[in-house]
Amino acid sequence: MNTNRNITIIILLAIIVVTVAIVKNEKANKPEIETGPINIGVVAPFSGDAAAYGEPVQKSLQLMSEKLAVQNGINGRPVKFIYEDGKCDGKTAAAAAQKLISVDRVSVIIGGICSGETLAMAPIAEAAHVVLISPGSTAPAISQSGDYVFRVAFSDVLSAQSLAITMKTMGASHVAIVSEQTDFAQAMKPAFVDYAKVQGMNIDYDESFMSDTNDFATIATKIKSRNVDSVYINTQTGASAAKIAKALRERGSTAQFYTYFLSGSDFVASGDAVNGTYVLDVGSVANASIGGPFMQEYIQRYGSEPEYAWAATFSYDTASIILNAIQSVGNNAESIQSYLYTMPSYTGIAGNITFDNNGDAQGTDVFILKQIKNGKLESVK
């Protein structure tokens, strides 16, 4: 009798242990209760040289927050964007992701903007089964960084190809490349070199520099001695690019400058040295029929256009896609992930967007060529 009773007790205890384990596992996989506020993490550079990218991210999402408040949130639940400064630095962004997941218990993180931020956060989000969706990171490695990793931005491979074709069309023949030692710039460089050679251009000088470099005199002197006709300024921020341009002009270089993405005042309005520079920018934000109303709303709210229009528009589209997912399938990361892979085409400011099997955005209208004239960007026809 006692033996049977002991066996029964053991079985009941085992059932209790298994049940508790299942409940704990379910709680671990559910970041928050379905009746509370919806917390969405946002990681972007809000300080340092790259803060010019983070400001329009936060402002565009603030516009969305104000609309959501009027609409009573999503499915009756208030939405809160929780901002963390990634500083365009992988280590800092990784710590921010850990905090958002473990403390704020988010199902989704919007970010990073810099590729180094996103690549550092990707394994953390993947391990926690939290959706990470970047509005601005373009490094090719992001395509293979995890099943929970998505991006509305496009790969540097496409960017490099477009820039090489543009430079050849504009008459570039002998080219110097100056690249910052960041994930973004270092991913762009080899792709650009490959396409430049296909276009018949010679790479006569190729130099990289650390992000904290302020003195570009030696690099500028070497470039001047090569007698190149074109310089590709391949930097993470406009502040660094402006210093390079100034150093080159001070040493008498008459080469044509080319860059990509640097449409903010930290580069465009930095002085005479950058005048005439060609900037390959995101064409979709110039689409008046789609982007126009958003830009008008942004200007009305903040008094001026965003420093970097792509950062504002891509962030707004990214948040809109996530909110559509939550409205459709709830605030569960696995459900949101499945939704993103199979969602119908989303028509946003940046065009029509779907995601491929790697989480890369498909279908966006991409580039437009601009030139700096008297401290302002003008489209090149």
Side-chain angles (χ1 to χ4, degrees):
M1 291 289 291
N2 289 336
T3 301
N4 290 337
R5 184 182 179 187
N6 289 339
I7 292 173
T8 301
I9 292 172
I10 291 171
I11 292 173
L12 288 172
L13 288 172
I15 291 172
I16 291 171
V17 170
V18 171
T19 302
V20 170
I22 290 172
V23 170
K24 285 184 176 180
N25 186 58
E26 287 179 349
K27 288 182 178 179
N29 288 330
K30 180 180 283 188
E32 57 183 343
I33 59 175
E34 291 298 322
T35 57
I38 297 172
N39 289 339
I40 299 176
V42 182
V43 177
F46 298 120
S47 63
D49 283 346
Y53 302 147
E55 182 180 354
V57 172
Q58 188 165 14
K59 285 183 174 179
S60 64
L61 296 185
Q62 178 61 33
L63 280 178
M64 180 167 288
S65 293
E66 292 168 1
K67 289 184 179 180
L68 288 168
V70 174
Q71 299 168 5
N72 197 28
I74 297 295
N75 297 331
R77 299 176 63 188
V79 176
K80 181 180 180 181
F81 293 107
I82 302 174
Y83 300 95
E84 296 291 337
D85 188 359
K87 298 184 179 180
C88 203
D89 171 74
K91 185 176 180 180
T92 304
Q98 291 280 18
K99 182 261 183 184
L100 288 167
I101 293 169
S102 62
V103 177
D104 301 301
R105 306 186 73 179
V106 300
S107 295
V108 177
I109 297 174
I110 295 175
I113 295 298
C114 300
S115 292
E117 291 174 329
T118 302
L119 288 168
M121 291 190 291
I124 298 168
E126 190 72 13
H129 285 195
V130 167
V131 172
L132 177 67
I133 180 165
S134 171
S137 299
T138 58
I142 293 171
S143 298
Q144 306 300 325
S145 61
D147 293 333
Y148 280 80
V149 181
F150 299 81
R151 59 174 160 185
V152 173
F154 34 82
S155 173
D156 289 328
V157 173
L158 179 60
S159 308
Q161 181 181 19
S162 299
L163 184 61
I165 293 171
T166 297
M167 289 178 64
K168 181 64 176 180
T169 301
M170 301 303 292
S173 177
H174 292 273
V175 179
I177 306 173
V178 185
S179 303
E180 190 170 351
Q181 290 187 2
T182 64
D183 291 292
F184 162 70
Q186 292 301 314
M188 275 288 287
K189 184 171 71 170
F192 171 79
V193 169
D194 289 343
Y195 285 116
K197 290 179 179 178
V198 170
Q199 294 296 316
M201 291 183 281
N202 296 311
I203 307 300
D204 295 335
Y205 182 81
D206 183 354
E207 183 76 39
S208 293
F209 65 92
M210 298 296 293
S211 295
D212 59 358
T213 301
N214 288 308
D215 186 355
F216 293 95
T218 300
I219 290 177
T221 299
K222 290 180 180 178
I223 291 175
K224 176 65 167 56
S225 69
R226 299 297 199 279
N227 293 317
V228 298
D229 54 59
S230 304
V231 178
Y232 168 30
I233 303 176
N234 178 28
T235 66
Q236 187 81 52
T237 68
S240 294
K243 293 173 187 175
I244 294 168
K246 183 179 180 181
L248 283 164
R249 292 296 187 237
E250 286 177 346
R251 279 147 191 84
S253 174
T254 59
Q256 176 64 55
F257 297 158
Y258 295 85
T259 191
Y260 162 69
F261 250 25
L262 300 182
S263 57
S265 62
D266 52 352
F267 182 68
V268 174
S270 63
D272 293 339
V274 304
N275 205 40
T277 301
Y278 286 111
V279 180
L280 195 66
D281 202 7
V282 181
S284 59
V285 300
N287 187 332
S289 63
I290 299 176
F294 169 80
M295 284 300 171
Q296 291 171 10
E297 185 178 357
Y298 190 102
I299 293 168
Q300 183 177 3
R301 175 66 173 80
Y302 299 113
S304 63
E305 292 183 359
E307 284 273 328
Y308 287 90
W310 60 264
T313 56
F314 280 7
S315 296
Y316 196 90
D317 277 349
T318 299
S320 296
I321 290 169
I322 290 301
L323 292 174
N324 285 348
I326 294 172
Q327 188 167 35
S328 298
V329 300
N331 190 32
N332 174 275
E334 292 183 358
S335 299
I336 294 170
Q337 179 213 37
S338 298
Y339 174 92
L340 294 177
Y341 279 123
T342 60
M343 74 178 195
S345 179
Y346 167 79
T347 300
I349 305 168
N352 299 315
I353 300 170
T354 58
F355 297 102
D356 66 12
N357 292 334
N358 292 322
D360 286 335
Q362 303 293 298
T364 55
D365 304 318
V366 186
F367 300 112
I368 186 171
L369 183 64
K370 298 181 179 180
Q371 188 175 30
I372 300 174
K373 295 184 178 180
N374 300 318
K376 295 182 180 180
L377 272 178
E378 296 184 9
S379 297
V380 176
K381 298 180 179 180

